[in-house]
């Protein structure tokens, strides 16, 4: 297509004005300019020069005070059903573009135009003019596992609003009520031009990929901290990630050796206090206590709901007692239940608050000198870890460590703290052994 349409011309624009403009812009043309009232036509030597004229002049050059428009000219019988789409980002796959265009009708032809720019240009011919007209705004739909959607939305919807503002699109997400046990995915709908939809898709996938990689890293560490645990069987992660990647570094295996007992030795039982919305207690217990009984059997843990602290209490404490694998299973299913039963809003990420008790003499080891250890814990796990100051130890000389974060972050923090406690216990045992083996001083 080497014939150009030049629009938005003033009444006083002449063929000589257009000739001078093209010559000054060093764009060759063949024949004469056919000037009408408000528009004109001209031929370029080939399609490449026609594209250069469009890129150099359209919306960038003024004639008699008006910005001119330069487009490909198409035969009148095709004009209403043929269109050109420019500035297509290079990362957009052609299969995605084809599916977007096909939403509005039969695409008779879609051909790429060669340009010198990084972005792509295509000429599209639809079956009729109505189909071509409706492509001005095309919705793009993306399926994403619900585990990632909360982080995509961000606190109070800030992440999503920023993407909308930066890309000039409108983004909506299907409600949580549409989720089922067999369909944990939500539909992200992006509305705008093809160019703006492509930009939004890039930003959305960047956020989802970041969440995916963070969860994979957490799962990787969890798998090695609790050998033999089948994380995929818990239904907490998208089924597409069928396998957990091997550890990238040898730290995980070292941590496993430190936090998990030797082969043949039963792991020690742990007690975790998990806080859930008070309104969710009925869902966790189930009809006649059936759900909590099934959960206890599945996880191999003791699970009890503590009495409410008052009539207006917004949170209730779930007391979970069992070894590491039982803790992971029980807490994972509770996390899933809260999400499944919609106890968190569509713009909220499900986060767990867990309390574990540690001996008062070991609290300093969890905090570290100048807070170094607790800061490293937070950086490693992405969970918030707090050891409240000025705590009064309980009757067992224990204090509380509070952990808040999404499921995998919270679990990883729990395991790392248990690892620290195991190290403290081993050191104490070694000191006792040394003391008992020392020779008693002789009496004179």
């Amino acid at each position: 297509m080497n014939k150009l349409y030049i629009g938005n011309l003033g009444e006083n624009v002449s063929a000589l004005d257009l000739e001078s403009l093209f010559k000054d812009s060093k764009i060759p043309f063949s024949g004469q300019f056919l000037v009408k009232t408000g528009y004109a036509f001209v031929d370029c030597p080939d399609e490449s020069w026609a594209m250069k004229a469009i890129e150099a002049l359209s919306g960038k050059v003024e004639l008699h005070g008006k910005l001119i428009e330069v487009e490909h000219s198409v035969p009148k019988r095709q004009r209403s059903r043929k269109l050109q789409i420019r500035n297509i980002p290079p990362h957009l796959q052609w299969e995605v573009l084809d599916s977007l265009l096909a939403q509005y009708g039969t695409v008779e032809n879609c051909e790429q135009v060669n340009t010198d720019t990084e972005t792509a240009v295509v000429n599209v011919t639809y079956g009729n003019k109505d189909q071509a007209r409706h492509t001005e705004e095309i919705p793009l739909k993306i399926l994403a596992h619900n585990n990632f959607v909360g982080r995509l939305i961000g606190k109070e919807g800030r992440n999503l609003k920023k993407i909308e503002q930066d890309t000039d699109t409108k983004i909506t997400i299907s409600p949580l009520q549409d989720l089922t046990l067999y369909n944990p995915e939500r539909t992200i709908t992006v509305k705008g031009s093809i160019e703006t939809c492509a930009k939004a898709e890039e930003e959305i996938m960047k956020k989802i990929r970041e969440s995916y990689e963070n969860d994979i890293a957490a799962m990787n560490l969890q798998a090695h901290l609790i050998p033999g645990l089948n994380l995929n069987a818990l239904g907490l992660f998208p089924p597409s990630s069928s396998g957990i990647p091997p550890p990238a570094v040898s730290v995980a295996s070292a941590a496993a050796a430190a936090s998990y007992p030797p082969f043949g030795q039963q792991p020690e039982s742990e007690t975790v206090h998990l806080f859930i919305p008070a309104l969710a207690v009925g869902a966790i217990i189930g009809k006649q206590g059936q759900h909590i009984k099934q959960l206890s059997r599945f996880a191999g843990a003791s699970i009890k709901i503590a009495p409410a602290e008052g009539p207006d209490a917004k949170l209730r404490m779930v007391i979970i007692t069992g070894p590491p694998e039982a803790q992971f299973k029980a807490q994972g299913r509770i996390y899933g239940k809260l999400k499944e039963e919609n106890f968190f809003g569509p713009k909220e990420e499900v986060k767990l608050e867990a309390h574990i008790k540690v001996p008062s003499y070991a609290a300093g080891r969890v905090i570290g000198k100048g807070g170094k250890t607790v800061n490293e814990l937070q950086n490693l796990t992405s969970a918030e870890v707090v050891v409240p100051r000025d705590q009064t130890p309980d009757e067992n000389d224990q204090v509380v460590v509070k952990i808040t974060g999404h499921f995998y972050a919270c679990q990883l923090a729990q395991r790392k703290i248990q690892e620290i406690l195991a190290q403290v216990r081993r050191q104490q045992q070694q000191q006792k052994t040394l003391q008992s083996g020392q020779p008693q001083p002789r009496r004179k």
Side-chain angles (χ1 to χ4, degrees), residues 96-150:
V96 176
L97 178 62
D98 289 342
S99 64
L100 286 172
L101 296 172
Q103 292 182 35
Y104 286 91
T106 303
V107 178
E108 291 186 354
N109 187 42
C110 181
E111 58 182 11
Q112 183 175 4
V113 179
N114 294 323
T115 68
D116 295 332
T117 61
E118 292 183 359
T119 56
V121 178
V122 295
N123 293 327
V124 184
T125 305
Y126 273 95
N128 59 61
K129 62 182 180 180
D130 291 332
Q131 294 171 350
R133 188 176 72 247
H134 285 131
T135 58
E136 293 177 359
E137 187 172 278
I138 298 177
L140 170 66
K141 295 189 177 183
I142 303 169
L143 285 179
H145 195 280
N146 188 53
N147 280 6
F148 307 137
V149 171

Side-chain angles (χ1 to χ4, degrees), residues 346-366:
K347 294 186 177 181
E348 290 182 90
E349 181 180 10
V350 180
K351 290 187 176 180
L352 303 170
E353 181 178 346
H355 293 182
I356 59 176
K357 290 186 175 183
V358 304
S360 59
Y361 59 81
R365 290 287 295 274
V366 175

Side-chain angles (χ1 to χ4, degrees), residues 49-60:
W49 279 112
M51 281 303 307
K52 288 179 180 178
I54 292 172
E55 292 166 4
L57 303 176
S58 187
K60 299 176 182 177

